[in-house]
Amino acid sequence: MDLDPAAESPSGSISASAETEMEREPDKERDPQWLQSSLHTLVAAYFEGSGCFSFMDENGATVAVFPGAGEDEEQWLYRINMGIVKLQEVVLDCLKATASAGIGRPAKRGGVHVSYRQAKSALLERYMYGHNLVIPFENGGAGPKEEALLPDAELERRLLLSLESGDAAKAHQLVMQWYKSCCEPASSAELLLEPVLFMHSLLTRYIHAQGWSVRGVAAQELAAIRDPDELARQEHLAAWAGRAIDKILAYADKQRVSKRHRFIDELMAIVEQSLDQDIGLHEIADRLYVSPPVSQQIVQERNQNDLFRLYSR
């Protein structure tokens, strides 16, 4: 639900007495942020006790999430629609401004973000039909249309963070969360395609961001998406993503070890070349573009026989 743009509000949507009261309102009470905050307060108060959860999104609109009460989809939509129509009268009376609302289709817990996107899409239609409206989302087809479920941005962020930190347990936990919320509910291979493409592209983007190649990291796992029969076997998807995660983390460990060995070789080469000079860890660190504590730790971990040999020379 969002306030209608004042400059574009239909002349018939607000009564003459309301317009007069609006002219008398102090400027601070016509401030857009104040009005949006007030709208959210009205929504929360109006639906208090119904189980409705509300918050303001990044654009200042009020988002209200309603729990199901066991009724079918049409009954649910009718109940929400009538509640918002009555609320619009309260908004006009209290704020002297009109507000419109978009309603998404009912969804299970894992698909609430899809319903939210549908509600935002429906709300945009007020620019075609006018203001002070309640607009349910339409599929555009003759009957109900199933939609693919996709993870929210938070799951994507946490999965990338677990890959970056090398936390295999957390990464596998998030893969199972993706599988249970997006793959298990899918009733066909067609609906599975989008969540699988999401996971495939996320892992591919992470590999490329490290400067690696898919062929060198997890070629077999990420090429499996080409097989429609594999895609149709829903129970294999969690194992498929888990294997790709393991390959990525193993490759990252290998790269870290290789990089550490190269670093040690460079460090020891500098030490050997500078045996006749008064050189300290700070200078070595400067040459290797690292901090002195890092170079000190590497020296302390280096094979003691090598250090003794250098000391003797």
Side-chain angles (χ1 to χ4, degrees):
M1 193 171 196
D2 195 18
L3 291 163
D4 295 321
E8 302 175 10
S9 293
S11 57
S13 64
I14 301 180
S15 64
S17 60
E19 287 180 344
T20 302
E21 289 187 38
M22 286 176 64
E23 292 174 359
R24 296 174 184 170
E25 288 285 341
D27 288 342
K28 68 177 182 179
E29 294 191 358
R30 306 314 307 169
D31 176 73
Q33 291 185 344
W34 181 88
L35 287 170
Q36 288 176 326
S37 177
S38 299
L39 174 63
H40 175 243
T41 301
L42 287 175
V43 171
Y46 188 85
F47 290 109
E48 186 178 7
S50 67
C52 169
F53 169 72
S54 65
F55 60 93
M56 293 176 67
D57 69 10
E58 69 276 7
N59 297 316
T62 293
V63 182
V65 183
F66 296 88
E71 68 266 62
D72 63 34
E73 182 172 320
E74 294 306 317
Q75 289 176 325
W76 183 90
L77 288 171
Y78 178 78
R79 175 169 63 87
I80 302 303
N81 197 317
M82 293 307 299
I84 296 175
V85 167
K86 294 177 181 178
L87 172 61
Q88 285 176 317
E89 299 175 4
V90 177
V91 172
L92 181 58
D93 183 55
C94 295
L95 301 183
K96 308 302 183 288
T98 63
S100 294
I103 304 179
R105 308 300 295 184
K108 295 181 180 179
R109 184 179 297 273
V112 172
H113 60 290
V114 176
S115 182
Y116 169 59
R117 287 200 300 266
Q118 293 172 346
K120 289 178 68 175
S121 175
L123 182 59
L124 290 175
E125 295 189 22
R126 63 178 168 171
Y127 294 104
M128 281 197 330
Y129 300 119
H131 296 154
N132 205 32
L133 301 174
V134 181
I135 310 168
F137 176 80
E138 296 294 339
N139 287 323
K145 179 182 176 183
E146 287 187 283
E147 292 201 22
L149 298 176
L150 294 176
D152 55 23
E154 179 63 14
L155 187 143
E156 179 177 0
R157 184 190 68 80
R158 290 167 62 196
L159 182 53
L160 288 173
L161 185 61
S162 66
L163 289 174
E164 194 68 36
S165 62
D167 190 341
K170 188 65 176 178
H172 281 282
Q173 177 187 342
L174 292 168
V175 163
M176 287 305 301
Q177 183 179 332
W178 159 79
Y179 172 74
K180 289 184 177 297
S181 62
C182 302
C183 299
E184 274 192 343
S187 57
S188 67
E190 182 182 357
L191 292 175
L192 275 175
L193 181 59
E194 287 196 50
V196 172
L197 285 175
F198 165 88
M199 182 60 68
H200 186 278
S201 63
L202 185 150
L203 298 179
T204 301
R205 281 187 286 114
Y206 177 79
I207 290 172
H208 288 166
Q210 311 311 309
W212 308 331
S213 70
V214 171
R215 185 174 60 181
V217 178
Q220 183 178 352
E221 286 70 25
L222 294 181
I225 195 173
R226 301 175 190 168
D227 184 358
D229 294 332
E230 181 69 21
L231 179 62
R233 290 194 286 269
Q234 188 184 82
E235 67 277 8
H236 292 174
L237 290 175
W240 162 75
R243 288 195 305 272
I245 291 287
D246 287 339
K247 285 290 184 67
I248 291 172
L249 294 178
Y251 191 86
D253 284 340
K254 183 179 177 181
Q255 291 298 305
R256 277 192 288 269
V257 170
S258 176
K259 185 177 180 180
R260 189 176 185 84
H261 286 169
R262 289 196 302 270
F263 179 87
I264 291 175
D265 290 341
E266 292 176 11
L267 185 149
M268 299 305 293
I270 292 174
V271 173
E272 289 202 45
Q273 294 166 8
S274 309
L275 290 176
D276 58 341
Q277 302 174 23
D278 185 11
I279 186 172
L281 286 175
H282 282 76
E283 186 173 348
I284 294 175
D286 288 342
R287 292 192 192 182
L288 295 174
Y289 304 103
V290 297
S291 63
V294 172
S295 60
Q296 182 178 9
Q297 181 183 0
I298 298 296
V299 169
Q300 289 173 344
E301 293 176 359
R302 181 61 176 177
N303 187 298
Q304 295 299 314
N305 292 332
D306 289 340
L307 294 177
F308 181 76
R309 174 175 54 82
L310 290 174
Y311 177 77
S312 299
R313 289 173 57 186

